[in-house]
């Protein structure tokens, strides 16, 4: 399963997830053909932020001021508790 499938399976709103043995708050907001992903560590100062865009049936990730790999690692690595 790829990152875009994982996010598309979650409803918009807030979710508590586990990532790298820590609890995170994950918020997903949908705006037409765009999806905003924001996650914040509940035990520290780390966060994840990025936007997914559907253009011509192809998903594209645009991270917000962080490496693309960091956002992809989170999306592919988080688990529901």
């Amino acid at each position: 399963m790829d990152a875009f499938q994982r996010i598309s399976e979650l409803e918009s709103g807030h979710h508590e997830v586990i990532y790298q043995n820590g609890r995170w708050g994950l918020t997903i907001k949908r705006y037409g053909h765009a999806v905003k992903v924001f996650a914040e560590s509940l035990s520290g100062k780390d966060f994840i932020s990025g936007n997914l865009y559907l253009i011509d049936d192809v998903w594209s990730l645009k991270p917000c001021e962080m490496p693309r790999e960091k956002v992809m690692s989170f999306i592919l690595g988080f688990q529901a508790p």
Side-chain angles (χ1 to χ4, degrees):
M1 177 179 301
D2 68 21
F4 310 109
Q5 288 175 312
R6 290 204 80 201
I7 293 301
S8 68
E9 290 181 351
L10 294 174
E11 294 183 22
S12 294
H14 184 78
H15 307 269
E16 276 202 25
V17 298
I18 304 297
Y19 178 65
Q20 295 183 342
N21 298 317
R23 291 183 26 224
W24 288 65
L26 168 62
T27 302
I28 298 174
K29 294 182 181 179
R30 290 183 168 77
Y31 305 95
H33 292 291
V35 180
K36 170 74 176 169
V37 175
F38 181 81
E40 191 169 27
S41 171
L42 299 179
S43 62
K45 298 179 182 178
D46 203 7
F47 70 96
I48 302 293
S49 183
N51 296 297
L52 304 171
Y53 297 97
L54 182 60
I55 302 169
D56 296 328
D57 294 327
V58 177
W59 282 102
S60 176
L61 170 65
K62 302 294 182 187
C64 298
E65 300 183 19
M66 62 185 51
R68 182 180 194 281
E69 293 78 19
K70 182 176 180 176
V71 179
M72 288 297 286
S73 176
F74 176 83
I75 292 173
L76 293 172
F78 74 81
Q79 300 296 319

